[in-house]
Each structure stands twice: as structure tokens, then as C-alpha cells.
Amino acid sequence: MSSPSLSSPAVGDFSPEAFAAHLAALPADVPVWWIERKRAAYARFTDLPMPGPTDEAWRFSSRETLTLAGFAPVTATPVAGAAAAARDAAVPALFSVADATASLTFGDDRLVARQALPADLASRGVVVATLQEALRSHPDVLREHFLSQPQKLGSEKFSSLHAAFVQDGAFILVPKGVEVTAPIVVTHASAGAGTAVFPHTLVILGEQARATVVDAFVSPDATAPAGPRAGAFACGANDLYVSHGAQLTYVAAQRWSLDTLSFQLNSTIVRRDARVQSLNLHLGGRQARHESLSQLQAPGAFSEMLAVTVAADAQDFDQRTLQIHQAPHTKSDLLYKNALLDRARTTFSGLIVVDPDAQKTDAYQSNRNLMLSDDAEANSLPGLEIQANDVRCTHGATSSRIDPQQMFYLEARGVTPAKARELLVFGFFEEVLNRLEHEGLHESLRQLIATRFH
Amino acid sequence: MSSLEIRDLHVAIHDKEIVKGLSLTIRSGEVHAIMGPNGTGKSTLSKAIAGHPDYTITQGDVLLDGKSILEQEPDERARAGIFLAFQYPSEIPGVSIANFLRAALQARLAEGEELDATTYYKRLYQKMDMLKIDRKFTSRSVNDGFSGGEKKRCEILQMAMLEPKFALMDETDSGLDIDALRIVSEGVNALRGPGLGVLMITHYQRLLNYIVPDYVHVMYDGRIVKSGDKTLALELERRGYDWVKQELAPAAPAPATVHA
């Protein structure tokens, strides 16, 4: 970390010295290309300005509370002692999946626990590894797919920062024709308070493969009063590559501590006749920006993009999505639901782009906000950019309040107003959560959501 | 033995007085029917007792076991033992009947006490069997897309699970075909007993063939104008509400005397 006088707002604590310390802490045998990419990414990060007032991609965003200062990348000085113990204790208390087939748990970007794949799946070529392992075992696949997609939603600065400081993460590869029925679970835990983490998950499904992958992001809420380095920083990326005819269910459950500034940058590629269902659950963070890009690259591709957000207290959630139809007969279906309480704020900005030859595109985009407080604020910016003439594209955004008749009905059964509101929020989310086929996962998410109400 | 005493109750909605001085006492084990033409204040009475925020009580009192409930919120009244069976139950998409009832029962437990899931489901299934409700119902959303009969059965199921001291049944027979009416009535009859008092609000005598009341009251223009036993209902059926109106026409009646 650098002294304040040396850092500019566009670099913050991610100074050249901090980057040099990060490089110095890398294992000695990482490939040269990995280090070169990191250097290039760091240069790009320092070149790019912080989002400005005229950036369309940051319209309605709370730019004034974006900061890169106050956080130390934990790769140089690992979190230890009581903070690490609190971090590791928070994981099972917040999130668990009953029947995971394999799991990786990272504590501040270092592997702290794992559940190995069953032998039969491993023998068929399924890989659930860390990035550090994959750098040695699958360098070519990693080099081809690692952060290979363009950043089209405004956060190139932060994706560059991620690439520069990423320490470790998950590498999941399911080869052609292999079906993994139970979820593969990756947990990224952070100790919070003054730390910066760069969680990464890369999922690659071969032709006709099937898998369910869960990314969970958790950190313990601070119980001590806020100090000078009380905040936390998380800048994660998750890239999904789904080959011909493959089917991926991807769930990202974000429950960072409530003082975290979080970026979550997702990119999905859907090939011919492939099907992706992604569900993002947003619960934590002081300010959390999520960008999700779906590229439908070949006929028959289908991307279902789902999100559920509980925005409470003074939380600020910023969600940017892009559905790009690059081939005919492709389908995308986006449903983002937000429940807003207290003084919370949400922004949804979604764009559907249909390329000129992507005829017979079927695209849908919907953002629905349930307002539980007069002081909450929901912004919606739905958009279409259609260059083909034979398509079906619909989009819409709605905001509604809790129905007083429903409230009275629940209260007339003895349910307290607070619990009644919680039930109605769960009811509102159920339309989204119900789309998950996996019952156990559905229940895990419900329990995680409940932590925001008690 | 519990009592629900309605004492000279006046209820207004949007500054318009609907209930105009109604007095009635119900004791555990009794079934009272209130009959009357449309627009006479029957539904207003039941919603006001349950604490609906749209209704203002301008005068009078409602006492449960001698204590006024008017200062209590709707959920407090419910936990104290008042149950309103809605004429038009709300649909709550995404909230399963099982979760809803669980939350309602959990709310009745002391802080830190947890509802036992096994016992809960056992009891729920037993009540559902009694009401001839398919067990698959538990995972359906509350009243969401239900037929009129299903909604009313769902109300009775809730009543069976929550075991109130007093049930206010608002036009429970409305929208029911004869089979549904029979099932719902059988349910109510099964719940009848020394621990439950019932105030049954209905426009039609038909319901009273299935749920035989101990007392019948005729409500007109915001007041009870006639009280009697079940034969009063039959007389009303024969002579129509015009008979009551005509009887009242010459002079304003003294407030109806109710059984002491």
C-alpha cells in the first residue's frame, strides 16, 4: 500500500508498489504470459480514468462513492488470526449446498478447503481446479478463455484491475458429453475490513456437457464500529463458455459484508443449441455493481438471465446487462427483480442488441421493482437496438408497492407486519427462484435471503 | 369460556357511517348468524372488528374477554383469538400455504421458540384430510388461481390450524356451488365446539341449512333490528327483507335487545 500523497483517486491503494508486491508474491513457476497479461492489465487500469459524469454506462450510478482507497490487496499480506477465523466461520453460517459434487473454498483469494470430485467424474475428464493449478495443468485452455471477452458495459478499468491483481480462483471444465448432475460449489470468502479480493471463476462446458455451478461470495458483517479501514473491496469476474448443445446452470450468490464495495463482471458465451441459465442473487455490499454480458453466437442458443436483489438500509445496487444476438434463431430471456427497503437504491440498465443477420431472434427483458419504502429509489433504463427485421423483442420495467389488502390478509392471520413484508418479498422472488430446477439450491438461496431479514 | 362483546359500535369508512350503534355479545360455543340486505353494514362490522385500516371506529367498543381490542393492531387481534374468514380472500403469489400457515403459527410462539416441523405437518395433513383438501395444496401459493370453493376451503383450513376463540365468517357461502357449500359447512361444523364462538354473516338463508345457528340477528341500516333463534331465518326466507323494512318503517326502532 502507498502513502496517500503518492496515490491518485484513479489508482487509490492499487499503486505501482502494491502491484509490484503482488507480482513478487506470485508463485515462482507461473507462466510468463500470465505475468505479461498482468502487467498489460495494470497499465490499462492506470491509464483509464474513473467513471465520469458523462459516461452513459454509469448513468444513475453513485460515482461519488466509488473509491479505490482504503483497501490493501491481500495477496501480498495474507489475512491471518482472528480475522481469518471469523471469515472461515462465516461461510457455513451463511451459505451451504447440501449435495455438492465438488467444492472449492477460497479465503481472501487463497484456497482454504476443497471437496474433491468423485473419482468417476475425474476419470471422465471433469476438472474442478484452482487457477494456479490450471496454469500448470491446462495452460492453453486458460490462455484462450481467461478474460477473453470484451468489456462492453463500462467497467474496463475494474476488469483490468481484476486481471492485474487476481491471485487465484476456480477453473471448471466439463468435457464433451459429460453430465454432472449435482452442483459444483465455489465459495469466495473475504475477511472484509480493509481487504481487497479479486475472486475469479471460469467455467467451460464442452459439447453436450451439462453442469450446475454455484459461486458464493460471503464475508462476515463487521460487528466492531467502523474504523479508518473499515470498508472492504471485492472485484470479481466470472466467465462462462458453453459449447454446442451444452447446458449450464450458473448461480452467483453475493452476500458480502454490508461495508463492501463490490464489482461482479460476468461474461457468457452461448454456442449453437446451447442453453445457459444464470441466476444472480444480490444481497450484500454497501455499493455493488454487476455487469452481465450474454453473447448468443450461433443458432439455437438460449440464455436465461435472472437476478434477485434485496436492497435495504442505504445499499446501492447497480446492474448493467447486455444481450447480444449475433446469429439467427437465438433466444434470451432476462428477468431481474429487486425488492427495495429503507433508503436503498437500485439501477437497472439493460440493452438488447440484435445484429443485422440475427433474424428470428426472440428476446425478452424485464425489470420489476417492489418498493417497500417511500425513501427507496429504483431506476430502470431498458433498451433495444435492433438491426434485423424479423424478430420478437419485448422489454419493460415496472415498480409496484406492496398491496395493502395482501398485508391486511397476512396480518389478519397473526403475522407481524415485518414478517408479512418478508413473506411478500419472498413471494415476489419466487417467480425467479422457481425457475431453478435444483430444489436444494433453491432452499440454500432462500435461507441466504432470509439472513437479510433477521 | 370466552366472550366477544360488541358494544354500541359505530363504524365509518371515508367519513360515511356504515355501522350505527350495534351491540352484540357472543360466547364460546355459540353460533350467531347476522343476516341482512346488501349494503347494510354486515361486512363492515366484521372487518372493523378484525382491524382493517380502511375502517374507522367512531364510537363504542369491542371487548374480548372484557378487554378492549380497539387499540390493538390487526395481527395482535388475530393472535388474541379473532379470526376473520374473508369474503374475498387475497391471492398471495409465491407464498405457499405451508409457509404461510407456518409463519402464522410461529408468530403465536414465544420469542426464541421454534415450531416443530414434524408435528406441524402432521397436524396440517390431518386438518386437510378433514376438509377434503388435496395434500398437494400445501405447496400451492395462497389462493393464487383458486376457484371460489378452493378459496373458502383454504380459509376454513387456516381457521382449523389457528384455532381462534372467535371466528367472523364474512359471506362464507358466497360464490359456492352446493357441493362446495356442503364441504365448507362440514368443516365449520367439525370445528364447532365449546372453545369456539362464531359470527356468521350471510345474505342468504341457504347457508343456515348447513350450519345451524343458535341465534339469528337481522341487520338493517347499520343496526341489529331483530333477534331470535333459527326460526327467524326461516321467516325471513319466506317473507323477504321487505318485511323487516316495512316493520321498521313507521317509527325508528329501539336498539334491538339481544340475549343477555
Side-chain angles (χ1 to χ4, degrees):
Chain A
M1 85 193 80
S2 61
S3 67
S5 59
L6 291 174
S7 77
S8 74
V11 176
D13 283 344
F14 305 104
S15 60
E17 294 78 9
F19 181 60
H22 167 73
L23 289 185
L26 289 177
D29 59 340
V30 292
V32 173
W33 67 267
W34 181 252
I35 294 173
E36 280 172 357
R37 280 210 194 178
K38 280 182 168 287
R39 288 190 197 283
Y42 185 71
R44 189 78 186 126
F45 161 70
T46 54
D47 284 350
L48 289 166
M50 288 293 273
T54 58
D55 277 336
E56 189 56 26
W58 293 81
R59 205 171 154 213
F60 290 113
S61 294
S62 303
R63 286 176 302 97
E64 60 285 352
T65 45
L66 286 177
T67 174
L68 296 171
F71 322 108
V74 292
T75 50
T77 47
V79 174
R87 173 195 72 201
D88 297 339
V91 177
L94 285 171
F95 190 75
S96 66
V97 176
D99 64 340
T101 194
S103 71
L104 295 171
T105 303
F106 295 92
D108 291 289
D109 295 341
R110 285 179 153 73
L111 187 71
V112 291
R114 82 192 301 165
Q115 176 199 336
L117 270 172
D120 63 316
L121 289 173
S123 70
R124 295 174 71 193
V126 178
V127 178
V128 177
T130 66
L131 285 181
Q132 289 299 335
E133 291 162 354
L135 277 170
R136 293 158 188 84
S137 64
H138 296 79
D140 296 340
V141 184
L142 191 57
R143 196 169 180 175
E144 181 188 344
H145 290 286
F146 183 80
L147 290 177
S148 59
Q149 297 312 309
Q151 290 298 318
K152 290 172 174 283
L153 286 158
S155 282
E156 192 190 348
K157 183 174 180 70
F158 302 102
S159 73
S160 300
L161 178 64
H162 173 88
F165 281 93
V166 66
Q167 167 80 12
D168 209 348
F171 175 87
I172 295 163
L173 176 70
V174 183
K176 183 174 176 177
V178 178
E179 295 193 7
V180 183
T181 44
I184 295 166
V185 179
V186 182
T187 305
H188 311 266
S190 154
T195 63
V197 292
F198 300 89
H200 193 99
T201 295
L202 173 61
V203 180
I204 299 161
L205 259 55
E207 292 179 24
Q208 313 294 335
R210 267 186 96 147
T212 297
V213 176
V214 181
D215 251 340
F217 306 92
V218 295
S219 49
D221 281 320
T223 46
R229 294 184 80 86
F233 183 79
C235 182
N238 30 73
D239 288 353
L240 317 173
Y241 185 90
V242 187
S243 306
H244 294 193
Q247 286 191 38
L248 173 67
T249 299
Y250 174 75
V251 173
Q254 190 268 96
R255 176 65 173 89
W256 292 128
S257 62
L258 300 178
D259 57 0
T260 302
L261 170 61
S262 161
F263 294 88
Q264 199 179 336
L265 311 173
N266 166 258
S267 169
T268 303
I269 289 188
V270 197
R271 302 292 296 162
R272 178 183 293 267
D273 297 325
R275 193 188 167 97
V276 178
Q277 181 187 62
S278 61
L279 193 161
N280 282 274
L281 175 60
H282 302 287
L283 299 170
R286 147 178 86 74
Q287 181 170 356
R289 178 159 168 127
H290 171 227
E291 296 184 3
S292 185
L293 164 70
S294 262
Q295 297 179 77
L296 300 132
Q297 294 190 332
F302 175 37
S303 181
E304 188 179 15
M305 302 161 75
L306 307 170
V308 155
T309 305
V310 178
D313 307 315
Q315 283 181 297
D316 190 320
F317 290 93
D318 187 5
Q319 297 161 353
R320 311 276 160 165
T321 66
L322 181 53
Q323 299 150 263
I324 308 185
H325 291 258
Q326 297 164 326
H329 294 282
T330 50
K331 187 176 172 186
S332 64
D333 180 4
L334 179 149
L335 177 59
Y336 275 37
K337 283 194 161 188
N338 302 324
L340 291 96
L341 300 88
D342 310 320
R343 291 164 293 126
R345 196 166 172 276
T346 61
T347 302
F348 169 80
S349 172
L351 182 63
I352 297 172
V353 172
V354 181
D355 285 354
D357 62 346
Q359 301 294 359
K360 303 287 182 191
T361 282
D362 184 351
Y364 184 73
Q365 180 200 90
S366 174
N367 167 227
R368 288 189 228 144
N369 300 302
L370 181 64
M371 313 297 293
L372 292 107
S373 158
D374 289 338
D375 300 323
E377 177 190 328
N379 303 291
S380 272
L381 298 162
L384 296 174
E385 201 178 291
I386 301 171
Q387 298 169 62
N389 53 25
D390 183 15
V391 301
R392 196 173 73 181
C393 292
T394 44
H395 68 165
T398 58
S399 282
S400 57
R401 283 165 195 284
I402 290 260
D403 174 0
Q405 299 305 329
Q406 290 182 338
M407 274 299 282
F408 178 66
Y409 187 76
L410 295 173
E411 288 174 46
R413 297 299 175 251
V415 177
T416 61
K419 184 70 187 176
R421 276 191 289 274
E422 181 189 329
L423 282 172
L424 292 174
V425 169
F426 271 101
F428 174 68
F429 287 157
E430 204 53 30
E431 183 191 356
V432 178
L433 299 179
N434 247 338
R435 297 211 200 169
L436 272 183
E437 263 181 39
H438 194 275
E439 264 306 314
L441 207 45
H442 186 163
E443 188 50 36
S444 295
L445 296 183
R446 286 182 64 94
Q447 286 175 11
L448 188 60
I449 296 170
T451 66
R452 286 301 280 128
F453 286 91
H454 306 131
Chain B
M1 169 75 81
S2 281
S3 69
L4 180 68
E5 186 186 352
I6 305 160
R7 199 185 276 171
D8 187 32
L9 197 70
H10 292 249
V11 184
I13 178 165
H14 308 310
D15 296 330
K16 187 174 186 285
E17 188 166 67
I18 308 286
V19 175
K20 303 171 179 174
L22 185 142
S23 298
L24 174 65
T25 298
I26 306 164
R27 291 184 180 80
S28 304
E30 298 174 352
V31 174
H32 292 243
I34 290 194
M35 303 184 69
N38 288 328
T40 204
K42 304 188 300 291
S43 287
T44 299
L45 172 69
S46 62
K47 285 185 199 160
I49 295 171
H52 195 292
D54 288 353
Y55 299 85
T56 313
I57 292 175
T58 53
Q59 199 182 313
D61 208 347
V62 179
L63 303 111
L64 178 61
D65 295 331
K67 284 201 317 219
S68 175
I69 60 168
L70 295 189
E71 289 302 313
Q72 294 182 337
E73 296 299 325
D75 59 310
E76 295 173 306
R77 297 184 197 193
R79 292 195 298 274
I82 305 285
F83 181 92
L84 172 63
F86 285 68
Q87 182 179 6
Y88 303 111
S90 284
E91 299 190 7
I92 323 263
V95 178
S96 72
I97 290 176
N99 281 346
F100 169 45
L101 274 172
R102 215 171 154 159
L105 286 168
Q106 180 69 47
R108 286 161 168 79
L109 299 180
E111 188 85 27
E113 213 177 313
E114 274 294 322
L115 196 68
D116 179 75
T118 317
T119 324
Y120 164 67
Y121 275 101
K122 203 174 150 194
R123 215 174 126 237
L124 179 61
Y125 289 145
Q126 178 201 332
K127 305 285 186 192
M128 292 179 88
D129 291 348
M130 177 190 91
L131 290 165
K132 300 185 173 62
I133 297 174
D134 192 314
R135 289 185 181 187
K136 282 196 219 104
F137 238 67
T138 51
S139 58
R140 283 180 67 182
S141 297
V142 178
N143 297 326
D144 189 20
F146 284 20
S147 69
E150 286 174 332
K151 282 183 182 169
K152 296 300 167 76
R153 267 187 283 169
C154 185
E155 293 293 286
I156 306 303
L157 172 65
Q158 293 169 41
M159 182 172 145
M161 289 297 288
L162 300 177
E163 295 180 336
K165 289 177 183 167
F166 292 97
L168 316 169
M169 311 194 65
D170 189 5
E171 307 268 9
T172 294
D173 52 328
S174 72
L176 296 188
D177 61 31
I178 206 76
D179 291 331
L181 181 63
R182 190 176 296 124
I183 292 169
V184 166
S185 303
E186 280 170 9
V188 175
N189 286 331
L191 299 177
R192 271 180 94 158
L196 176 71
V198 177
L199 179 65
M200 209 162 37
I201 285 165
T202 181
H203 183 76
Y204 300 104
Q205 194 272 336
R206 181 180 79 144
L207 176 67
L208 308 185
N209 291 334
Y210 295 91
I211 306 171
V212 181
D214 301 304
Y215 304 96
V216 173
H217 312 278
V218 181
M219 190 166 170
Y220 182 69
D221 193 26
R223 295 180 194 88
I224 287 173
V225 293
K226 222 177 200 352
S227 293
D229 62 15
K230 63 186 179 190
T231 58
L232 177 58
L234 296 168
E235 195 174 358
L236 265 178
E237 175 81 353
R238 206 171 59 246
R239 302 174 69 173
Y241 286 117
D242 282 345
W243 160 61
V244 182
K245 292 179 196 172
Q246 278 158 16
E247 258 193 16
L248 292 170
T257 42
V258 179
H259 68 282

